[in-house]
Every structure is written in C-alpha cells, then in structure tokens.
Amino acid sequence: MMFVALACNIFLALWASGFWMFSLIMNSRNSDYCYNCGTVLTYLQSLLMIMIQLVQFGLFIAAFFNMRPYWVETYVAWAVIFTIYFSGNSYFGQHFCTLAPLEFFHFPLLVQLTTSPQDVLVPRRREKLRKLAFSRARFLEHRALSESAQRMDTNESEISMVSIKELLQNAKMNMGLHDYDTSSIENRLEADLFLKVAHLHGRSVECLSNYMPLRLAEEVHHILGTKCES
C-alpha cells in the first residue's frame, strides 16, 4: 500500500513539474490554456487524492503492526492520524466548497465523499452547497455575458480604426493578388460616401460587388463577418 502511495507521489511530482514548466511556455500564447488543461489537472488531482487515502490507511496499518501489543500507544497513534487527516480534510473541503461550489456540486459522488463528506451527508450542509452552486452559476453566467459584450465593443472599435484602403489591401493579399490596384474601388466607394469600414458593415456581397469584382467582394464580406463574430 505504501509502495503504491510512494509511486503516486513520485509520478505526481515529476508530471506536475513538467506540466508547470510547459505552462510557463504556453500560458501566455493561449488565452484558454487553463480550460484546455482540465484533463491533465483532473489526472494530477486524482493522483493526489489516491496518495492521501493510501498514506492514511498505510499509517493506520503500520501503527497497528509496529506498536502492538502496546495498545495504549497504538490507540494514541491512531487518534493522531485520524485527527490530522479529518481536520485537514475538513478545512480543505470547506475551502473548496466556498471557492468552487458549482464545480464541487457536479463532482462524482466518490470524489465528494473523499473531499468533504460532511457537505454531502449532512442535509443542511448539502442544501447550503446547492444554494452556493446556484449562486456561482448565476455569477458565471453574468460574467460571460458581460465579457461577450465587452468583446463586441472591442471588435467594433477595431473595425472603426481600419481604413477602407487597409481593408481592401488585406482582402487582395488573402486572395494572392499582390499587384492588384484597388484605388479605383476606393474612389467608387468614396463617391457613394462609404468613407470608413463601419459604413460597409452589414452590406451584402451583391451590394459590395457593385463597387468591386465579385471574388474581392466575397473576401471583403468574409473579413467583415469574421471581425464581427470573433
């Protein structure tokens, strides 16, 4: 049992160290890095929980076989082991349920029982956990809507800062038409008072094709749609 616990401990330290070093390299390049690492973090957390359980039972068994027939000392050792384990488990479970009640509420039952059994078995604390989880769900929903609105405002401001010339340059570069002259297109758009990119937003391909070739109009329409949806 202790051998398995030691193996979990060693591999947890090695893989966690490698994962930490990799995160230093990739975290700044990927805004969704933490979300995409859910599987790895779950695996490392599982190793940690298995190691804690095995160490607890291993110490219990070791105290029994090494301290008998001195039963008073054996009971004292058992009391110390259980006190340290259950007090730490209680503090950790309370910390987890306070900061991440929604995540804990949807954990598998076995993980809930090993992490914070009092919040699962006691009806009053189970109801409190359910209310905290519901409150956190509402908070996350509100934050997601707020961040989505901020991204839309940011995209609109970015579009307004791009000139029509730059838009046409990007479109022709995407099509591989590096030497294509777009000055006549710019003049036709300006004649109809399309003075900035925001004025082209929402225009159909058919409308844009009145001022430029059809393929170029399709590419411009694609760029405008991509900027507004991102």
Side-chain angles (χ1 to χ4, degrees):
M1 181 177 294
M2 295 303 293
F3 173 78
V4 177
L6 180 61
C8 291
N9 188 10
I10 293 175
F11 284 112
L12 175 63
L14 293 175
W15 283 326
S17 299
F19 180 71
W20 171 72
M21 288 186 289
F22 186 75
S23 68
L24 293 179
I25 301 173
M26 299 302 299
N27 188 28
S28 60
R29 303 181 183 178
N30 191 343
S31 58
D32 295 329
Y33 181 80
C34 184
Y35 176 79
N36 294 329
C37 293
T39 302
V40 178
L41 293 175
T42 300
Y43 176 72
L44 295 177
Q45 176 68 17
S46 300
L47 278 182
L48 179 61
M49 298 304 298
I50 292 172
M51 184 181 65
I52 292 176
Q53 301 301 323
L54 291 177
V55 168
Q56 174 203 0
F57 289 109
L59 290 175
F60 178 82
I61 295 174
F64 175 78
F65 284 104
N66 288 292
M67 302 186 72
R68 64 176 185 176
Y70 305 103
W71 297 112
V72 175
E73 290 82 352
T74 302
Y75 294 147
V76 172
W78 285 351
V80 172
I81 293 171
F82 282 122
T83 300
I84 295 175
Y85 172 77
F86 284 110
S87 61
N89 194 64
S90 176
Y91 287 128
F92 180 79
Q94 183 179 3
H95 179 74
F96 204 119
C97 293
T98 302
L99 295 181
L102 179 63
E103 293 80 353
F104 181 81
F105 188 79
H106 291 287
F107 272 179
L109 180 60
L110 181 61
V111 178
Q112 291 180 341
L113 290 175
T114 55
T115 304
S116 183
Q118 64 274 12
D119 288 302
V120 180
L121 302 177
V122 180
R124 180 174 57 84
R125 300 195 61 164
R126 179 73 177 182
E127 180 63 19
K128 179 181 178 181
L129 174 64
R130 188 188 68 81
K131 292 181 179 179
L132 289 175
F134 180 78
S135 176
R136 177 164 173 77
R138 294 290 299 273
F139 167 76
L140 293 176
E141 180 184 12
H142 175 73
R143 189 176 71 177
L145 294 175
S146 177
E147 292 178 353
S148 177
Q150 291 177 1
R151 285 196 298 269
M152 292 179 62
D153 294 339
T154 301
N155 290 328
E156 291 179 356
S157 63
E158 290 177 351
I159 291 175
S160 63
M161 294 174 62
V162 177
S163 66
I164 290 182
K165 181 177 181 179
E166 292 172 334
L167 175 64
L168 294 174
Q169 293 290 329
N170 291 334
K172 76 172 189 178
M173 294 294 289
N174 293 342
M175 297 174 61
L177 305 175
H178 304 284
D179 298 327
Y180 186 76
D181 186 13
T182 61
S183 57
S184 61
I185 300 174
E186 298 170 25
N187 293 332
R188 286 197 294 269
L189 289 170
E190 185 177 355
D192 280 352
L193 298 181
F194 289 107
L195 304 178
K196 53 186 179 180
V197 175
H199 294 161
L200 299 177
H201 176 64
R203 303 290 175 175
S204 65
V205 175
E206 291 75 14
C207 176
L208 295 175
S209 63
N210 294 326
Y211 302 92
M212 63 191 75
L214 179 59
R215 285 190 57 208
L216 186 61
E218 291 175 342
E219 182 62 28
V220 169
H221 186 269
H222 173 72
I223 293 176
L224 290 172
T226 303
K227 285 181 176 293
C228 293
E229 293 175 2
S230 61

